[in-house]
Amino acid sequence: VTFTYGDTGITALTNLSFTIEKGQTVAILGKTGSGKSTILELIARLYDVTSGEILIDDVPIRQLNLHSLREAIGTVPQDAFLFSDSIRNNIKFGKNTATDDEVIAVAKNAVVHENIVGFSKQYDTVLGERGITLSGGQKQRVSIARALLKNPKIYLFDDCLSAVDTETEEEILNNLKQASKHATTLIVSHRVSSAKNADKVLVLEGGRLLQQGTHEELNNREGYYKELYLNQLSEKEN
């Protein structure tokens, strides 16, 4: 796949190819501007590829019904968007027929339940414009709960754990692994910790695939991934 943004003329991806098996978790790492988020935008068909093809179940993505495609996807963007509504309704945006028990279960998986019950009105707490009554990490976790409630076939997580600490991140990732074990998951991240337990790691640079493999394979190979891992390890120790 090659993709150039029509408005800026910037080529974000060049001759990129990879395969994800059903149920796998794939982490995508790389510097800012390497094309990570563009992959997720193309899978959700916010844009169409300039050349090449994206296939889902061997069917070209352009042949799939757009509404059905997006119904099958749960997306959590980096900049979580929340409505001026109750926390409960923000989570239920993923599935408005959900019971309170279902809402609480996904909030626990997203490690945000304890925060919510700490508010005087708990799940009835009404959020300000764009969720200003919540911290960045809490907003991200409410968005994750919303995606989990939808129970989609494909999860697209776009650097949505950037505002949480690494311990919370690990807890959420472990919960996600259980909750999404029958789904196909793509996680865009700047942190190696998000990639450690993925079935496959893709490392991008300048819109091209620089490295791919498991955490162990890439960590035993000189290159960007190993350098990133060692840098982040030393940061954590400091």
Side-chain angles (χ1 to χ4, degrees), residues 161 164-173 189 191 193-194:
L161 296 168
V164 300
D165 59 71
T166 47
E167 280 175 33
T168 307
E169 177 192 39
E170 197 152 322
E171 192 179 345
I172 293 169
L173 287 170
S189 182
R191 291 182 187 162
S193 49
S194 290

Side-chain angles (χ1 to χ4, degrees), residues 73-140:
I73 293 174
T75 304
V76 185
Q78 184 178 1
D79 183 20
F81 185 85
L82 300 177
F83 302 98
S84 298
D85 203 337
S86 67
I87 293 175
R88 178 186 287 103
N89 286 346
N90 265 287
I91 294 174
K92 282 175 71 169
F93 185 72
K95 178 186 167 190
N96 58 16
T97 56
T99 63
D100 282 354
D101 285 347
E102 288 176 294
V103 170
I104 290 167
V106 293
K108 285 180 175 174
N109 274 338
V111 195
V112 75
H113 173 72
E114 294 299 324
N115 300 106
I116 296 168
V117 295
F119 297 127
S120 58
K121 293 186 176 176
Q122 301 193 350
Y123 282 85
D124 291 319
T125 302
V126 174
L127 303 180
E129 195 65 39
R130 289 178 71 86
I132 51 170
T133 47
L134 299 183
S135 69
Q138 288 168 347
K139 279 196 250 184
Q140 287 183 335

